[in-house]
Amino acid sequence: MRNIKDIIQGINIGIAIGLALSDNKKNTIELYNEIMKRSLIDTKEIEKNYSNLVRGHAKIDFENNKYNNAVLQYLDAFKLSPLTPEEYRNIGLCLIELNQLDAAKEFFNLYETSSDNKLFAIKDIGKIYLNKLQDYKTSIEYFERFISLFKKDDEVYNILGHLYSLVYKDKKLEQQKQYFLAAHNLKKNTRLYIRNLIFTLFRLGEYKEVEKLYKKLLNLNPNHSDYYYYGCFLVNQKNFKEGYKYLQHRFEKEGDDKSIIPAVLDKNKYWRGENLTGKSILVHCEQGFGDTIMYSRFVKDLSKKAKKVYFVVQDELFELMNNSNLGAEVYSTNFELCKLSYDYFTTPVDLPLYLDINPSDLPYKNGWLKTNSQITLKPNKKLKIGLCWHGNTKSKESARDIEFNELLPLFDITDTEYYSLQYAENPLPDSRLIDMTTDFKTFNNTAELINNLDLVISTDNVILNLAGALGKKCLGLFNKYPEYRWFDIEDGKPTNWYNSITVFQNKNQDEWSETITRLCKHINRLKEG
């Protein structure tokens, strides 16, 4: 027969279990302590059982994203005994979700100090600051503490390289290089580390090392994107022959931004430089408006080699291209291509490869597009300037755009008026802008307006290319690291693609203020001259 102590112990354990599973925890500890005072036996084991049950309940709530309940239960258990490092960590993560960030950081400190595996805890907390708190500078501090204790973790070196890029951009490129190099040296054949090192070395201007690393990358089970970006690098280095050959991987490269050949075109007729004497060839657009404009110059030369050239362009460009005497029959993408008979087809971007174009002597740099102007602007003595400060989503992602507020100093220049060249921008960011684009249907309308302006100011987008192709004086705003095709650009000088575009380039990536100051001074000089 059980003695009285066993019976009381069983009752107390049952009460402890009930309390631990209760949803109302407000008076749980006080009630439990009162029961323990009246107990006739040693309560240590009961306290342990109760604490374990509460902790288990807290962990379940944590895993089910019931963060508030989890924190309350962990704190209940903490009143009975110290928590484990994992539990301190879990409380910190809960507090992040509850937006109690200062309190969360205190528990991460407890997590580290109580942990037997300091290295693991420091690395783990570094990742929490990186991924959960987006506190990149503190994350750097944790990861740098980690590598001071352990120098063989390639993942941490790679993370540090990325963090320095996020926090300091191009201000600490040498430090980025050292971290990416350390990751690469630990695992020399890891493709990700090679790519990261290529990116940083390119920004440092170490092009010979970039070339070596690309050649190594292309021997490590490369994908189409690797070949494509190598092509971009070669074009930027003025190696058109090899560069445009590798750029053909754009049709197969991984990701959503690969180029598409229209299904109606017969891929067996893809032109690879065959003799075009007596032959017809169809040139079909495949990228953005700016690309079609930039490369349309080569259609003029292609027409000298082929019996007939068909040039298929976006509908918005059809009228402009048709007016420009390119030596080709121009069609819109809305036209039924099956009605055309041709021997070969190609794309504008492939023309430099098969026409053997010399990057140091690009044709038609003074302009080649034509339009019959039908727009008349109100006559006055003011300098008429067109503004375009952003392109599409792709230009934003590649850091080609500028916030309109950066351009506000332009409006302090006397005797100037500004026309928005942003198509149907509504609402306009400044009431002083004149907008004539609301009724525009095609780029021919935009070209007519540009021809009536004194000057265009544009970032790297379709308007920049349109102004250059029209031969209109234009001030081009370029970030420190422009898109790959703008090779050898020099501040204050014309671009290699267009003589009418003068470069205004940031000295530091994304820092436009000083560039706009120089731009304003240049406009004042134009007025005086």
Side-chain angles (χ1 to χ4, degrees), residues 359-527:
S360 299
D361 188 26
L362 291 167
Y364 311 110
K365 293 197 293 185
N366 290 323
W368 64 94
L369 296 186
K370 308 293 181 185
T371 184
N372 296 319
S373 180
Q374 298 177 3
I375 292 179
T376 302
L377 302 182
K378 183 179 178 181
N380 56 42
K381 294 182 179 181
K382 293 182 179 181
L383 195 67
K384 294 174 173 55
I385 302 175
L387 287 182
C388 188
W389 54 94
H390 71 79
N392 56 20
T393 303
K394 187 175 181 180
S395 69
K396 183 176 182 180
E397 291 172 350
S398 55
R400 290 186 267 165
D401 294 346
I402 182 173
E403 293 295 328
F404 181 80
N405 286 345
E406 299 274 11
L407 296 173
L408 290 179
L410 291 170
F411 292 87
D412 294 330
I413 302 174
T414 59
D415 296 323
T416 56
E417 59 184 17
Y418 295 94
Y419 291 77
S420 172
L421 294 174
Q422 299 289 160
Y423 176 67
E425 185 89 357
N426 187 21
L428 287 174
D430 195 291
S431 61
R432 291 170 290 184
L433 281 167
I434 301 169
D435 187 12
M436 300 180 66
T437 68
T438 52
D439 295 325
F440 286 4
K441 302 299 182 185
T442 71
F443 279 103
N444 192 62
N445 302 131
T446 310
E448 290 171 353
L449 173 57
I450 288 174
N451 273 341
N452 280 274
L453 297 172
D454 298 305
L455 177 67
V456 171
I457 298 172
S458 179
T459 55
D460 177 13
N461 58 61
V462 59
I463 296 300
L464 183 79
N465 286 282
L466 180 56
L470 290 167
K472 172 59 65 174
K473 186 174 182 60
C474 178
L475 308 181
L477 297 174
F478 292 90
N479 222 327
K480 181 175 181 179
Y481 306 110
E483 201 253 8
Y484 72 92
R485 279 172 285 204
W486 300 103
F487 56 89
D488 277 357
I489 66 171
E490 184 179 349
D491 194 77
K493 303 291 185 181
T495 69
N496 278 324
W497 288 92
Y498 306 99
N499 284 337
S500 67
I501 297 177
T502 300
V503 173
F504 282 80
Q505 185 177 20
N506 283 348
K507 293 180 180 179
N508 294 308
Q509 185 77 349
D510 297 329
E511 293 183 6
W512 293 97
S513 178
E514 191 272 340
T515 305
I516 300 304
T517 298
R518 285 187 284 112
L519 184 75
C520 290
K521 291 179 179 178
H522 182 82
I523 294 172
N524 276 314
R525 287 195 296 270
L526 287 177
K527 286 174 53 191

Side-chain angles (χ1 to χ4, degrees), residues 213-222 226-227 230 246:
L213 285 169
Y214 262 123
K215 289 181 177 179
K216 179 175 182 178
L217 182 64
L218 298 184
N219 282 314
L220 294 172
N221 192 28
D226 294 328
Y227 286 116
Y230 182 46
Y246 282 108

Side-chain angles (χ1 to χ4, degrees), residues 135-180:
D135 182 346
Y136 302 133
K137 286 189 176 181
T138 304
S139 183
I140 286 174
E141 290 174 9
Y142 273 94
F143 286 128
E144 288 187 330
R145 282 178 54 208
F146 178 87
I147 61 171
S148 71
L149 300 169
F150 184 73
K151 303 184 185 302
K152 298 294 183 181
D153 193 316
D154 56 286
E155 179 193 22
V156 171
Y157 283 117
N158 187 60
I159 291 172
L160 277 168
H162 279 294
L163 283 169
Y164 266 77
S165 177
L166 279 170
V167 174
Y168 303 109
K169 297 184 179 178
D170 61 328
K171 290 186 175 67
K172 294 192 177 183
L173 283 172
E174 280 293 340
Q175 192 64 57
Q176 289 178 45
K177 170 186 170 181
Q178 293 308 315
Y179 284 135
F180 284 137

Side-chain angles (χ1 to χ4, degrees), residues 335-351:
F335 183 80
E336 295 181 40
L337 296 183
C338 58
K339 295 180 179 180
L340 296 178
S341 176
Y342 54 92
D343 297 298
Y344 298 103
F345 85 88
T346 188
T347 71
V349 178
D350 283 329
L351 293 178

